Amino acid sequence: MKYGIDMGHNCPPDTGARGIKVEDILTIDVGNRVISKLRALGHEVISCNPERASSVRDSLSQRCNKANAARVEVFVSIHFNAFNGRANGTEVFAASEAGRRIAQPVLNEIVKLGFFNRGVKSGSHLFVLRNTNMPAILVECCFIDSQKDMNIFDAEATANAIVKGLTGKLPTTPVNVIPDEEQNIDTSILRLQKALNRLKITDRNGKALAENNQINAETKFAIEKFQGIVGVEKTGVAGETTWNAINLILAKRIIRRNHGGGPVVRYIQYRVGADVDGIFGPQTEAAIKRFQRQNGLIADAIVGPMTWRKLIG
């Protein structure tokens, strides 16, 4: 069998939920285990995650395109839920009868671990299920903002449940998990370095950061530099507040006068040479128009797709 495994999100601006734990980290951890176990059982596996994307839609499209181009026989997208801190349990989405037949045993195996059974649900609204050419499922393993679920969750057990649900069996000998630089919060540094480079946040010498997955003096300097630009506490550590600011900018929402403020406007001001105060006033408008003229764009002071392309690609 040829499987396409999509480890949800992990491609800014396509980033996952955050709760007691971080979705991006858990999907990578479980997904890599699933891939290793399927290969140990003799199956061919294609990892469908993109390396980079210009938007969430682009990220989702690349996942579908990889699966379709490789002509995988079953597509599995791995995710984790978050809602209100009280919701809990496991649900699996499918958009076809063939998909539902695959989804049910996967759900059955995961709920055996102790999670509440939320059922197999229609996924006809989900992009990756609508745009893949083969039977496809999307697994919401559990809720990362539920203490009940997080007390139960174990990456190895969850991966085993998914593989057992897909194939009916597990490898008889221990499987070495595919190493990945983003398996835990400490090793998300590579993603951070890539994001800061995309945002043109340089080191103390005005150079791009070395994407080496190491927290060194230059990376800490760049983190503090970014934190100062967007107006959050300068700790040199990329916590939730810093990542939220990064993701807001990478989302590339349309910004115009009287319709924007805060970290995104502060970043734009930094890039176009205006005073950084988070207020989109006349000076910022003039600076954006100047930047647009310099880059061959219509000088309308609206930071839309073309202006964002010049700012961050």
Side-chain angles (χ1 to χ4, degrees):
M1 183 73 74
K2 191 173 186 179
Y3 290 94
I5 302 298
D6 168 33
M7 295 171 276
H9 306 293
N10 285 287
C11 187
D14 181 1
T15 55
R18 288 173 176 253
I20 298 168
K21 294 190 177 181
V22 180
E23 183 180 12
D24 280 2
I25 295 164
L26 298 192
T27 57
I28 287 287
D29 194 1
V30 172
N32 277 332
R33 293 171 191 268
V34 168
I35 290 172
S36 295
K37 293 172 189 295
L38 287 173
R39 287 177 175 162
L41 289 170
H43 299 287
E44 185 176 354
V45 186
I46 303 297
S47 175
C48 297
N49 286 61
E51 293 184 4
R52 62 184 66 220
S54 59
S55 65
V56 172
R57 184 181 180 84
D58 179 38
S59 172
L60 298 176
S61 295
Q62 289 188 56
R63 296 164 202 265
C64 298
N65 292 342
K66 282 190 175 186
N68 293 338
R71 297 186 178 181
V72 305
E73 295 170 84
V74 175
F75 177 85
V76 181
S77 187
I78 299 172
H79 288 259
F80 287 79
N81 250 324
F83 185 50
N84 60 5
R86 297 185 299 277
N88 62 92
T90 302
E91 56 197 19
V92 183
F93 291 86
S96 67
E97 185 56 40
R100 282 186 282 274
R101 287 196 295 270
I102 296 167
Q104 190 64 62
V106 170
L107 176 66
N108 293 344
E109 291 295 329
I110 298 176
V111 300
K112 286 179 183 178
L113 302 176
F115 296 108
F116 173 68
N117 189 337
R118 299 173 66 89
V120 173
K121 298 183 176 181
S122 172
S124 58
H125 61 295
L126 297 173
F127 189 99
V128 295
L129 301 188
R130 287 190 292 108
N131 292 279
T132 40
N133 298 335
M134 65 295 301
I137 64 172
L138 186 147
V139 184
E140 293 281 6
C141 297
C142 60
F143 283 75
I144 58 172
D145 61 344
S146 163
Q147 191 62 62
K148 179 179 179 180
D149 279 4
M150 289 296 95
N151 288 342
I152 299 170
F153 172 73
D154 176 80
E156 178 72 1
T158 303
N160 279 339
I162 293 172
V163 172
K164 181 77 176 292
L166 290 171
T167 68
K169 56 186 177 181
L170 291 171
T172 55
T173 56
V175 174
N176 292 324
V177 178
I178 299 171
D180 190 282
E181 69 273 1
E182 296 170 10
Q183 282 187 351
N184 55 61
I185 194 67
D186 295 327
T187 56
S188 63
I189 302 307
L190 181 62
R191 278 194 301 131
L192 175 64
Q193 290 168 329
K194 288 180 177 180
L196 291 174
N197 281 339
R198 186 175 177 193
L199 295 174
K200 307 297 191 293
I201 306 299
T202 57
D203 65 17
R204 71 184 73 246
N205 298 313
K207 296 181 179 179
L209 295 175
E211 295 180 358
N212 56 14
N213 198 33
Q214 297 176 9
I215 277 288
N216 50 31
E218 296 307 329
T219 298
K220 287 184 177 180
F221 176 88
I223 294 170
E224 289 190 15
K225 181 177 179 179
F226 175 78
Q227 290 169 330
I229 291 167
V230 298
V232 303
E233 184 181 2
K234 295 171 69 174
T235 62
V237 177
E240 183 176 0
T241 303
T242 300
W243 270 111
N244 284 344
I246 289 172
N247 291 332
L248 277 173
I249 296 166
L250 292 178
K252 299 194 289 189
R253 295 183 176 91
I254 296 174
I255 303 294
R256 66 185 78 201
R257 191 170 180 180
N258 300 323
H259 289 83
V264 179
V265 169
R266 291 177 66 94
Y267 173 76
I268 292 169
Q269 289 171 325
Y270 163 74
R271 290 297 310 281
V272 301
D275 290 340
V276 178
D277 58 11
I279 300 170
F280 197 143
Q283 188 212 39
T284 299
E285 182 177 3
I288 293 172
K289 287 181 176 179
R290 183 171 60 250
F291 176 86
Q292 289 171 325
R293 284 193 294 269
Q294 290 170 346
N295 286 277
L297 304 175
I298 297 173
D300 56 8
I302 298 172
V303 184
M306 297 303 295
T307 303
W308 275 119
R309 187 174 299 173
K310 294 296 183 181
L311 286 168
I312 61 176

Short mmCIF file of all heavy atoms in Angstrom, two decimals, residues 11 18 43 48 79 91 113 118 122 137 139 141 161 186-187 189 194 200 253 259 279 289-290 308 311:
data_model
loop_
_atom_site.label_atom_id
_atom_site.label_comp_id
_atom_site.label_asym_id
_atom_site.label_seq_id
_atom_site.Cartn_x
_atom_site.Cartn_y
_atom_site.Cartn_z
N CYS A 11 4.11 24.87 8.65
CA CYS A 11 4.59 25.58 7.47
C CYS A 11 4.08 27.01 7.52
O CYS A 11 3.06 27.34 6.89
CB CYS A 11 4.12 24.87 6.21
SG CYS A 11 4.83 25.55 4.69
N ARG A 18 -2.42 26.12 19.77
CA ARG A 18 -1.58 26.05 20.97
C ARG A 18 -2.48 25.95 22.18
O ARG A 18 -3.50 26.63 22.27
CB ARG A 18 -0.67 27.28 21.08
CG ARG A 18 0.45 27.27 20.06
CD ARG A 18 1.26 28.56 20.05
NE ARG A 18 2.36 28.44 19.12
CZ ARG A 18 3.64 28.29 19.45
NH1 ARG A 18 3.98 28.25 20.72
NH2 ARG A 18 4.57 28.19 18.53
N HIS A 43 5.22 -0.88 3.70
CA HIS A 43 4.44 0.04 2.87
C HIS A 43 5.32 1.17 2.35
O HIS A 43 6.30 1.57 2.98
CB HIS A 43 3.28 0.61 3.68
CG HIS A 43 2.32 -0.43 4.17
ND1 HIS A 43 1.45 -1.10 3.34
CD2 HIS A 43 2.13 -0.94 5.41
CE1 HIS A 43 0.75 -1.97 4.05
NE2 HIS A 43 1.14 -1.89 5.31
N CYS A 48 3.82 14.41 2.90
CA CYS A 48 3.15 15.42 2.06
C CYS A 48 3.34 16.85 2.55
O CYS A 48 2.72 17.77 2.01
CB CYS A 48 1.66 15.09 1.95
SG CYS A 48 1.34 13.52 1.13
N HIS A 79 -3.79 15.75 12.87
CA HIS A 79 -4.01 17.02 13.54
C HIS A 79 -4.35 16.81 15.01
O HIS A 79 -4.59 15.70 15.45
CB HIS A 79 -5.17 17.79 12.88
CG HIS A 79 -4.84 18.35 11.54
ND1 HIS A 79 -4.52 19.67 11.34
CD2 HIS A 79 -4.76 17.76 10.33
CE1 HIS A 79 -4.27 19.88 10.06
NE2 HIS A 79 -4.41 18.73 9.42
N GLU A 91 -11.81 12.55 17.02
CA GLU A 91 -12.74 12.48 15.89
C GLU A 91 -11.92 12.33 14.61
O GLU A 91 -10.78 12.81 14.53
CB GLU A 91 -13.65 13.71 15.83
CG GLU A 91 -12.92 15.03 15.77
CD GLU A 91 -13.82 16.21 16.13
OE1 GLU A 91 -14.88 16.00 16.75
OE2 GLU A 91 -13.44 17.34 15.79
N LEU A 113 -7.39 3.96 23.71
CA LEU A 113 -6.39 4.52 24.62
C LEU A 113 -7.04 5.26 25.78
O LEU A 113 -6.36 5.64 26.74
CB LEU A 113 -5.45 5.46 23.86
CG LEU A 113 -4.69 4.85 22.68
CD1 LEU A 113 -3.88 5.92 21.95
CD2 LEU A 113 -3.80 3.71 23.13
N ARG A 118 -15.70 10.83 19.64
CA ARG A 118 -16.51 11.89 19.03
C ARG A 118 -17.03 11.49 17.64
O ARG A 118 -17.74 12.26 17.01
CB ARG A 118 -15.69 13.19 18.93
CG ARG A 118 -15.24 13.72 20.30
CD ARG A 118 -14.29 14.91 20.17
NE ARG A 118 -14.96 16.05 19.58
CZ ARG A 118 -15.62 16.97 20.28
NH1 ARG A 118 -15.71 16.87 21.60
NH2 ARG A 118 -16.18 17.98 19.67
N SER A 122 -18.31 14.03 8.74
CA SER A 122 -18.16 14.46 7.35
C SER A 122 -17.07 15.52 7.24
O SER A 122 -17.10 16.55 7.94
CB SER A 122 -19.48 15.04 6.82
OG SER A 122 -19.28 15.62 5.54
N ILE A 137 -8.46 10.71 4.91
CA ILE A 137 -9.01 10.98 6.24
C ILE A 137 -8.19 12.06 6.92
O ILE A 137 -7.01 12.26 6.61
CB ILE A 137 -9.05 9.72 7.13
CG1 ILE A 137 -7.65 9.20 7.43
CG2 ILE A 137 -9.92 8.65 6.49
CD1 ILE A 137 -7.61 8.07 8.46
N VAL A 139 -7.34 13.05 10.86
CA VAL A 139 -7.46 12.57 12.24
C VAL A 139 -7.21 13.73 13.21
O VAL A 139 -6.14 14.34 13.18
CB VAL A 139 -6.43 11.45 12.51
CG1 VAL A 139 -6.62 10.89 13.92
CG2 VAL A 139 -6.53 10.35 11.46
N CYS A 141 -6.48 13.88 16.71
CA CYS A 141 -6.12 12.86 17.69
C CYS A 141 -6.76 13.10 19.06
O CYS A 141 -7.25 12.17 19.69
CB CYS A 141 -4.60 12.81 17.84
SG CYS A 141 -3.74 12.33 16.32
N ALA A 161 -1.79 3.36 17.37
CA ALA A 161 -3.23 3.25 17.13
C ALA A 161 -3.57 3.61 15.69
O ALA A 161 -4.39 2.93 15.05
CB ALA A 161 -3.99 4.14 18.10
N ASP A 186 12.09 22.83 22.06
CA ASP A 186 13.44 23.35 22.03
C ASP A 186 14.00 23.33 20.62
O ASP A 186 14.80 24.17 20.24
CB ASP A 186 14.35 22.51 22.94
CG ASP A 186 13.93 22.65 24.40
OD1 ASP A 186 13.48 23.74 24.75
OD2 ASP A 186 14.06 21.68 25.14
N THR A 187 13.59 22.34 19.80
CA THR A 187 14.15 22.22 18.47
C THR A 187 13.29 22.86 17.41
O THR A 187 13.41 22.58 16.23
CB THR A 187 14.40 20.74 18.13
OG1 THR A 187 13.18 20.02 18.26
CG2 THR A 187 15.45 20.14 19.05
N ILE A 189 13.74 25.80 16.86
CA ILE A 189 14.60 26.94 16.56
C ILE A 189 14.82 27.09 15.05
O ILE A 189 14.88 28.21 14.54
CB ILE A 189 15.97 26.80 17.28
CG1 ILE A 189 15.76 26.68 18.79
CG2 ILE A 189 16.87 27.98 16.96
CD1 ILE A 189 14.92 27.79 19.38
N LYS A 194 14.16 30.35 10.18
CA LYS A 194 13.61 30.51 8.84
C LYS A 194 12.60 31.64 8.79
O LYS A 194 12.57 32.44 7.84
CB LYS A 194 12.97 29.20 8.38
CG LYS A 194 13.97 28.09 8.06
CD LYS A 194 13.26 26.82 7.60
CE LYS A 194 14.26 25.74 7.22
NZ LYS A 194 13.59 24.49 6.78
N LYS A 200 13.17 39.25 7.18
CA LYS A 200 14.33 40.13 6.99
C LYS A 200 14.84 40.71 8.32
O LYS A 200 15.28 41.86 8.39
CB LYS A 200 13.99 41.28 6.02
CG LYS A 200 13.41 40.84 4.69
CD LYS A 200 14.36 40.01 3.87
CE LYS A 200 13.89 39.81 2.44
NZ LYS A 200 12.68 38.98 2.34
N ARG A 253 -2.28 39.80 6.00
CA ARG A 253 -3.61 40.40 5.85
C ARG A 253 -3.49 41.79 5.25
O ARG A 253 -2.48 42.48 5.42
CB ARG A 253 -4.32 40.47 7.20
CG ARG A 253 -4.61 39.10 7.80
CD ARG A 253 -5.38 39.22 9.11
NE ARG A 253 -5.74 37.92 9.63
CZ ARG A 253 -5.00 37.21 10.46
NH1 ARG A 253 -3.83 37.69 10.87
NH2 ARG A 253 -5.39 36.03 10.90
N HIS A 259 -7.49 50.81 9.47
CA HIS A 259 -7.94 49.42 9.52
C HIS A 259 -6.82 48.48 9.97
O HIS A 259 -6.82 47.31 9.66
CB HIS A 259 -8.44 48.97 8.14
CG HIS A 259 -9.73 49.59 7.74
ND1 HIS A 259 -9.79 50.84 7.16
CD2 HIS A 259 -11.02 49.15 7.85
CE1 HIS A 259 -11.06 51.13 6.91
NE2 HIS A 259 -11.82 50.13 7.32
N ILE A 279 0.92 52.87 14.95
CA ILE A 279 -0.22 53.69 14.54
C ILE A 279 -0.08 54.03 13.06
O ILE A 279 0.91 54.61 12.63
CB ILE A 279 -0.31 54.98 15.38
CG1 ILE A 279 -0.47 54.62 16.86
CG2 ILE A 279 -1.48 55.83 14.91
CD1 ILE A 279 -0.34 55.83 17.79
N LYS A 289 3.79 54.56 0.67
CA LYS A 289 3.71 54.98 -0.72
C LYS A 289 5.09 55.09 -1.34
O LYS A 289 5.29 54.70 -2.50
CB LYS A 289 2.98 56.32 -0.82
CG LYS A 289 1.48 56.23 -0.59
CD LYS A 289 0.82 57.60 -0.74
CE LYS A 289 -0.69 57.51 -0.60
NZ LYS A 289 -1.34 58.84 -0.70
N ARG A 290 6.04 55.59 -0.59
CA ARG A 290 7.42 55.70 -1.09
C ARG A 290 7.98 54.31 -1.37
O ARG A 290 8.60 54.09 -2.41
CB ARG A 290 8.28 56.45 -0.07
CG ARG A 290 9.71 56.68 -0.52
CD ARG A 290 10.47 57.62 0.42
NE ARG A 290 10.53 57.09 1.78
CZ ARG A 290 9.88 57.58 2.82
NH1 ARG A 290 9.08 58.64 2.67
NH2 ARG A 290 10.00 57.05 4.02
N TRP A 308 2.96 42.99 0.12
CA TRP A 308 3.47 41.95 1.00
C TRP A 308 4.52 41.11 0.27
O TRP A 308 5.52 40.69 0.87
CB TRP A 308 2.35 41.05 1.48
CG TRP A 308 1.62 41.56 2.69
CD1 TRP A 308 0.29 41.88 2.79
CD2 TRP A 308 2.18 41.81 3.98
NE1 TRP A 308 -0.01 42.31 4.06
CE2 TRP A 308 1.13 42.28 4.82
CE3 TRP A 308 3.45 41.68 4.53
CZ2 TRP A 308 1.33 42.61 6.15
CZ3 TRP A 308 3.66 42.02 5.86
CH2 TRP A 308 2.60 42.48 6.65
N LEU A 311 7.66 42.81 0.55
CA LEU A 311 8.14 42.86 1.91
C LEU A 311 8.73 41.52 2.37
O LEU A 311 9.82 41.47 2.94
CB LEU A 311 7.02 43.27 2.86
CG LEU A 311 6.58 44.74 2.83
CD1 LEU A 311 5.27 44.92 3.59
CD2 LEU A 311 7.67 45.64 3.42
#
